[in-house]
Amino acid sequence: MHHHQTALVTGGAGFIGCALSAGLTETFGRVVALDNLHPQIHAHATRPAELAAGVELVVGDVTDAAVWDAVLPEVRPDVVLHLAAETGTGQSLAESTRHGLVNVVGTTQLMDGLKRHGLPRRIALTSSRAVYGEGAWRRADGVLFYPPQRTAAMVEGGAWDVPDAEPVAMDARAVAPAPVSVYAATKLTQEHLLRVWGNALGVEVAVVRLQNVYGPGQSLSNPYTGILSLFARLARAGRTIPLYEDGAVRRDFVLIDDVASAVLAAATSAGVSATPLDIGAGEFQTIGTAASLIADYYGAPAPQVTGNFREGDVRHAWADITAAREVLGWTPRYGLAEGVQRLCDWIEQQPDVPPV
Ligand SMILES: NC(=O)c1ccc[n+]([C@@H]2O[C@H](COP(=O)([O-])OP(=O)(O)OC[C@H]3O[C@@H](n4cnc5c(N)ncnc54)[C@H](O)[C@@H]3O)[C@@H](O)[C@H]2O)c1
């Protein structure tokens, strides 16, 4: 449908970029990935096998204006998918400059480069559920409120949940962002920057806020992302998966295939939504449930609650995907049991799975 058009994907050699790549080459006449093959993600600074053969890979850094000056006049993208990012939430507090540089300045360098060399029709941004922080909770009287980040005193006393309230699904139409990490603040800044710039210059901007993406192709060595791959590596070693807090932390695990179809739809759908679109499976699972599925796959001992807590973790997160279904005509296809099976089957096919 976009066969005469060109798509440029920043971070296109990453987990989501590779999963998207086949769909992009089927949809666009030309697909170019710009990626610096970041050593935390890419054990070898070589083209990943998972990147579709039809994608042209340019190795370069999004923060470097000279890279844009070299790439954009030749590529002249109709659609830009902006995926390149520093993604370690926990890491971001200690490495805020790196997160600011890549996520914020990398986005402004993209914008300035496009202004110098020619505007695309659309930019699709992969934002994150992290922008919501602890999200909104509803009191018994129906009033929504935004609990602050949990204090050390609260969690040390085992007060995991907000008292007398229930969390609500993350829905950009109803829940305001409230980041509680540097990573999240930079992702929200990307949204704001592209929105104001796109409005001023007449470039369509489609923002998808992704929940916890998992599945075949996810990094088995990056210690900062990917809880299910970490659980799988523990379980396959016969170890007991430790559960933080009380094991009842809620997450919306969305299989990479469903994320790829959502991002592709955000890049190509007839219209765009002025409001970001929430992408997830659309239902929550507890971390305990996810861990049990993985332990069962490997015949490992049942996961155990440790009561430990990781600073910066939010208590609950899941998406209301009504708007994404309506605007993108997209629907997720996979539940957690099938997705975990696919992830673990894939891990078992890998030549070297790093030990934990
Ligand atoms: N995976 C998830 O659960 C998740 C959830 C929410 C949002 N996201 C967002 O989706 C996007 C892609 O995430 P992913 O899971 O594929 O991560 P990833 O780390 O696998 O991919 C990111 C890619 O960007 C590249 N990159 C990093 N810094 C760069 C730079 N300065 N210049 C050029 N390329 C650079 C890396 O080499 C990597 O290939 C990110 O914007 C992330 O914030 C991911």
Side-chain angles (χ1 to χ4, degrees), residues 127-174:
S127 185
S128 171
R129 58 102 179 156
V131 303
Y132 293 109
E134 294 284 358
W137 292 57
R138 196 182 300 285
R139 288 199 317 236
D141 63 6
V143 174
L144 272 192
F145 69 104
Y146 294 82
Q149 185 165 18
R150 295 179 291 166
T151 63
M154 281 167 74
V155 296
E156 274 155 23
W160 311 118
D161 277 306
V162 179
D164 306 318
E166 279 297 319
V168 304
M170 290 168 170
D171 175 353
R173 297 168 303 177

Side-chain angles (χ1 to χ4, degrees), residues 332-347:
R333 298 221 186 103
Y334 299 95
L336 186 62
E338 187 177 358
V340 160
Q341 173 93 33
R342 282 176 169 241
L343 169 66
C344 296
D345 287 350
W346 172 79
I347 290 173

Side-chain angles (χ1 to χ4, degrees), residues 189-258:
T189 303
Q190 292 185 316
E191 294 187 10
H192 288 314
L193 287 168
L194 288 173
R195 181 82 58 211
V196 289
W197 182 87
N199 278 344
L201 297 177
V203 176
E204 295 175 351
V205 174
V207 175
V208 284
R209 291 178 175 165
L210 310 177
Q211 296 279 327
N212 280 52
V213 188
Y214 74 101
Q218 86 177 83
S219 172
L220 297 176
S221 54
N222 186 346
Y224 301 101
T225 59
I227 189 169
L228 296 192
S229 90
L230 173 67
F231 284 179
R233 282 156 58 218
L234 288 166
R236 73 195 293 280
R239 288 168 56 182
T240 304
I241 300 170
L243 300 175
Y244 284 2
E245 306 190 21
D246 55 357
V249 169
R250 299 178 188 176
R251 288 292 181 273
D252 182 332
F253 295 104
V254 56
L255 190 67
I256 181 64
D257 307 60
D258 286 330

Side-chain angles (χ1 to χ4, degrees), residues 10-18 34-39 41-42 60-63 82-87 102-103 125-130 183 187 190 208-214 219 222 225 256:
T10 73
F15 172 37
I16 296 173
C18 285
L34 173 63
D35 196 300
N36 70 350
L37 302 179
H38 193 306
I41 319 300
H42 303 271
D61 196 305
V62 293
T63 65
H82 188 35
L83 276 58
E86 289 284 347
T87 63
V102 175
N103 299 359
L125 171 71
T126 49
S127 185
S128 171
R129 58 102 179 156
Y183 166 68
K187 294 304 288 184
Q190 292 185 316
V208 284
R209 291 178 175 165
L210 310 177
Q211 296 279 327
N212 280 52
V213 188
Y214 74 101
S219 172
N222 186 346
T225 59
I256 181 64

